[in-house]
Amino acid sequence: MSIYNEHSDWQAESSDSFVPVYYQGSLTGFFKQDYVDEIIRFLNEQEVLNKALRLACTDLIKKTGGDANQVKNLMKKYIKISERPKYGTRAIALLLNERQKELDLNIQEFTKFCDTFKVSPPELDNIYAGEAIDDSLLAPLSRILGLSKEQLLEVRDGVEE
């Protein structure tokens, strides 16, 4: 067998064409033509949203008489609040909301559903209010959410960066 007929790790596909993408005049990378328009649209929308957030935070600081140097910190705060929580009580409350939607139940029906699994309405309200989740609720919550107790512990006790 000839070495020219063997499969090589490095190959070129001449039928694929890539388009250069620039940010403020500097080349940032190359993308397939199929995806470049959507990528550019997303990145430009992201830029507009960041500008809008910066303007809103600047206006808020001006109205409250705060220091203009706090704009970046305020922006970070609002972005952090807006992100999906990965850990803690807020994350579990979000999982409960998603479970309610999956089951297509209104809040009263979902509260009764949780109560059948030994999570009382006041305990459910405490979770939604962001209070700490007691270890005794892990087993019933894991059954409600369809997660293992270990997975739920990881969500509850994980460290948010």
Side-chain angles (χ1 to χ4, degrees):
M1 179 180 218
S2 169
I3 62 169
Y4 297 109
N5 292 335
E6 292 181 16
H7 175 69
S8 299
D9 290 335
W10 290 85
Q11 296 178 353
E13 185 61 53
S14 60
S15 63
D16 286 342
S17 62
F18 291 87
V19 176
V21 174
Y22 297 90
Y23 178 72
Q24 295 180 346
S26 297
L27 179 66
T28 58
F30 296 90
F31 296 93
K32 283 189 174 184
Q33 180 64 50
D34 299 345
Y35 306 110
V36 75
D37 291 335
E38 188 174 343
I39 291 169
I40 295 296
R41 182 183 51 76
F42 174 80
L43 292 171
N44 282 326
E45 285 176 2
Q46 198 66 26
E47 190 73 22
V48 168
L49 291 174
N50 281 335
K51 286 179 184 178
L53 178 59
R54 187 178 307 108
L55 288 170
C57 289
T58 302
D59 286 348
L60 182 61
I61 287 174
K62 283 180 183 176
K63 287 180 182 178
T64 60
D67 183 11
N69 296 324
Q70 295 175 332
V71 171
K72 281 188 178 181
N73 290 335
L74 191 57
M75 286 176 64
K76 287 179 186 177
K77 173 187 170 187
Y78 284 121
I79 289 171
K80 179 92 170 145
I81 291 169
S82 300
E83 289 176 340
R84 178 185 178 92
K86 296 176 187 147
Y87 304 107
T89 305
R90 282 183 55 224
I92 292 174
L94 184 62
L95 290 172
L96 287 167
N97 280 330
E98 289 171 351
R99 183 68 174 141
Q100 178 186 342
K101 289 176 186 171
E102 284 175 18
L103 296 171
D104 194 26
L105 300 173
N106 65 34
I107 190 66
Q108 293 84 10
E109 294 167 333
F110 188 69
T111 301
K112 287 178 187 175
F113 172 77
C114 291
D115 200 21
T116 63
F117 284 95
K118 307 297 185 218
V119 177
S120 69
E123 290 168 327
L124 198 58
D125 288 341
N126 290 342
I127 292 170
Y128 288 133
E131 294 182 17
I133 297 173
D134 190 67
D135 287 345
S136 64
L137 291 176
L138 291 175
L141 284 172
S142 68
R143 289 191 300 273
I144 291 167
L145 296 171
L147 298 172
S148 72
K149 194 172 176 181
E150 292 76 24
Q151 289 172 312
L152 194 59
L153 261 172
E154 192 175 305
V155 172
R156 184 192 73 174
D157 298 338
V159 179
E160 190 81 43
E161 295 175 10

